[in-house]
Every structure is written in structure tokens, then in C-alpha cells.
Amino acid sequence: MKFTSTDKYVAPPDLTIAVNAAVTLQRPLLVKGEPGTGKTELARQVADSLGLPMLEWSIKSTTRAQQGLYEYDAVSRLRDSQLGDPRVEDVGNYIRKGKLWQAFDADQRVVLLIDEIDKADIEFPNDLLQELDKMEFFVYETGQTIRAKQRPIVIITSNNEKELPDAFLRRCFFHYITFPDAETMRKIVDVHFPGIKSSLLTEALTQFYQIRETPGLKKKPSTSEVLDWLKLLLAEDLGPEDLRRDGKSALPKMHGALLKNEQDVHLFERLAFMLKGKQQ
């Protein structure tokens, strides 16, 4: 089983190597990179490329590691016992399987995405060490040991909001997705907009990378944002000459797709003001 780029996803060679190395080593693949570099989409495309089903566990600040294993609904069992419901005799009726249990219990190998692990409490990764390492866990309420029928391919994403524990990092294969260069970005755009005119794309990407490199920018636009911007440009049937900025405004056309806060908009307005002052 070898992961390669798909018709919907352009995977650079180093990312392809990282995915296949993690699969070979049977280690979770920990993927970092700035937002919008395709970390979450990677898991979906790995599943698609290898022909495997995917399970997604989206992590929030309130998520506990135990929820990935199972949850025991003691309140419902107590209520049913008061009502004389015969289901209370089997505690298994009140256990809800988490995403890890579902992945372990699957009859075929699955891709398990643990998305944005850094959103959770700092102890969250440590609480999953044993389960991800040995691919098993114990259910205290039923006395069962749940072992993986097929070892899942585990992909874990992080936006680097907090440091992950060393013990957790040692058990992962790590890869940082660098932001695509212009050539790679053209390939990505071609996947989404195969008929786009080369002259429009060249002018748009030139402006896009100039914006990203502007000193003082609070939030750099990402791949998903440039794709949204190009979609708008195509919908408005704009040409490369329509995108060229003059001294009146440093803001690009449809800038709301690229600039996501007022500080960055004001930054470009100040740049236009300064440029106009120099020209006078």
C-alpha cells in the first residue's frame, strides 16, 4: 500500500515519503503546518488513495482522551433501573464506542484522523500513549480488553497552538508541511480550476505571494483562501489587467477572500497612502 498524489490532492514528494514511512513503521503520523496547508484534507486523501474507510475525531478544548475510547452512561442506566427496564442487566447497553474503539473494531484497516490535537488539554496526548502504542485498551465496566483487529493508519494534525509532550512525540513520525511554492500552487490550482487562463493565474499568484510576504501582516492568506479568491475572480470574469493595482489602492480585488481582519486591511490602506505620498 503506497500513498501517492490523487486527482484531487497534490502531495509534494517529502509528504508522500512521510506518509509511507509512517505506514511502514506503523507509527502515528503527526502533521504540523500553518492553517490552510491541507493537513486535515491529507487524511481524507490518504484514505482515498489507499481505498480505505476513514474515521475522523475532531478535537476541541473540552475533549477528553477517554471519549476516544468509550463513554459509560451511568445516568441513563440509573434511570432505566428505576423504571424496571431489563436492559440494565447488560452494562454494555450503556457504553458508547469512541473513535478509537470503532477503528480497532473495524473488520478492515481504516484511516483514523485525530484532528487538531493541540486544542485539547496538555495531558490529552499523554492519556493516549498506551492505546496508540499497544493498540489496545481495557473497558473496566465490562472487563473487556479491546484490541485492534487491523492496525489503523493514524494521522494526527496540530496547528502548534501548544507544545506536545516528548513521550508522545517519540511515538510519532513527524512531518511539517511547508507552504507551497508558486510552482506547486499552480498544480494545486489546476486540480480545482483546470481551465483557468495562464495569464490570470500568473498575475493572481504574483499578487498573492506579494501579500503573504508583506511585513507586518497579522494573518497570511492560505491555500484555501487563494482558491476562494480565484473562484470569485472567475465568477466575475476578471482578466489579469483587472487585477493590476494602481497607486490609488494597495488592496487587491475581492480582498475580503484574502485578508481576514481589519488590521491587515488598514495595513494595505496605509501602504497605498504612503505610496501615493511618494508619487506626488
Side-chain angles (χ1 to χ4, degrees):
M1 301 175 76
K2 290 288 184 181
F3 167 68
T4 59
S5 292
T6 69
D7 58 354
K8 299 178 182 177
Y9 189 87
V10 177
D14 59 340
L15 179 56
T16 302
I17 291 171
V19 171
N20 290 320
V23 172
T24 299
L25 293 173
Q26 297 188 332
R27 296 276 190 182
L29 174 63
L30 174 61
V31 183
K32 291 186 179 183
E34 64 178 86
T37 48
K39 299 185 297 297
T40 301
E41 185 63 22
L42 172 64
R44 300 188 181 107
Q45 296 305 322
V46 168
D48 186 49
S49 174
L50 302 180
L52 301 176
M54 194 190 92
L55 293 172
E56 183 172 348
W57 185 16
S58 297
I59 307 303
K60 302 177 181 178
S61 59
T62 55
T63 304
R64 295 175 292 106
Q66 179 64 32
Q67 292 172 309
L69 307 179
Y70 68 92
E71 291 184 278
Y72 170 51
D73 191 351
V75 174
S76 292
R77 193 182 186 200
L78 176 61
R79 183 186 64 243
D80 287 350
S81 68
Q82 293 171 338
L83 297 173
D85 193 322
R87 296 174 70 250
V88 299
E89 299 300 326
D90 183 1
V91 68
N93 291 324
Y94 302 92
I95 289 179
R96 184 170 60 192
K97 297 179 181 179
K99 295 297 183 180
L100 262 74
W101 189 334
Q102 294 174 38
F104 289 1
D105 208 33
D107 291 327
Q108 70 173 115
R109 198 175 198 185
V110 303
V111 173
L112 172 62
L113 170 63
I114 304 178
D115 200 25
E116 298 188 328
I117 194 172
D118 52 323
K119 280 188 175 179
D121 183 84
I122 190 61
E123 291 303 318
F124 180 92
N126 281 333
D127 292 341
L128 290 176
L129 287 179
Q130 183 89 352
E131 290 76 13
L132 291 177
D133 198 24
K134 293 190 174 182
M135 287 288 156
E136 66 177 42
F137 63 90
F138 186 72
V139 183
Y140 293 95
E141 288 78 5
T142 63
Q144 295 173 276
T145 296
I146 306 299
R147 295 185 178 88
K149 296 178 181 178
Q150 303 280 343
R151 192 178 188 97
I153 296 172
V154 181
I155 297 177
I156 304 169
T157 71
S158 169
N159 285 326
N160 244 358
E161 291 185 10
K162 61 171 68 80
E163 289 295 321
L164 299 174
D166 288 344
F168 179 80
L169 295 175
R170 283 197 299 272
R171 288 166 169 81
C172 297
F173 189 93
F174 172 77
H175 183 74
Y176 184 88
I177 300 181
T178 56
F179 194 83
D181 58 21
E183 182 181 351
T184 303
M185 187 64 79
R186 292 185 80 97
K187 295 178 181 176
I188 293 172
V189 171
D190 188 57
V191 167
H192 295 270
F193 308 109
I196 192 169
K197 293 180 180 179
S198 179
S199 55
L200 173 63
L201 180 57
T202 298
E203 180 64 29
L205 291 185
T206 298
Q207 288 196 26
F208 172 71
Y209 281 100
Q210 286 174 349
I211 292 169
R212 277 186 57 86
E213 294 164 9
T214 301
L217 199 66
K218 184 175 181 181
K219 184 190 180 303
K220 295 181 178 181
S222 66
T223 304
S224 60
E225 286 153 349
V226 74
L227 292 175
D228 285 345
W229 186 47
L230 288 169
K231 185 175 182 179
L232 286 173
L233 298 181
L234 291 171
E236 293 295 322
D237 197 24
L238 299 179
E241 64 282 352
D242 298 313
L243 300 188
R244 298 190 182 107
R245 293 171 285 179
D246 53 32
K248 297 179 181 178
S249 176
L251 287 167
K253 297 283 187 182
M254 310 286 187
H255 64 268
L258 298 174
L259 304 176
K260 299 297 185 175
N261 58 67
E262 63 277 13
Q263 293 97 319
D264 289 342
V265 172
H266 291 159
L267 171 63
F268 278 88
E269 289 174 341
R270 289 196 301 271
L271 290 174
F273 180 77
M274 292 168 61
L275 180 62
K276 184 177 180 182
K278 289 180 180 179
Q279 291 174 344
Q280 289 177 347

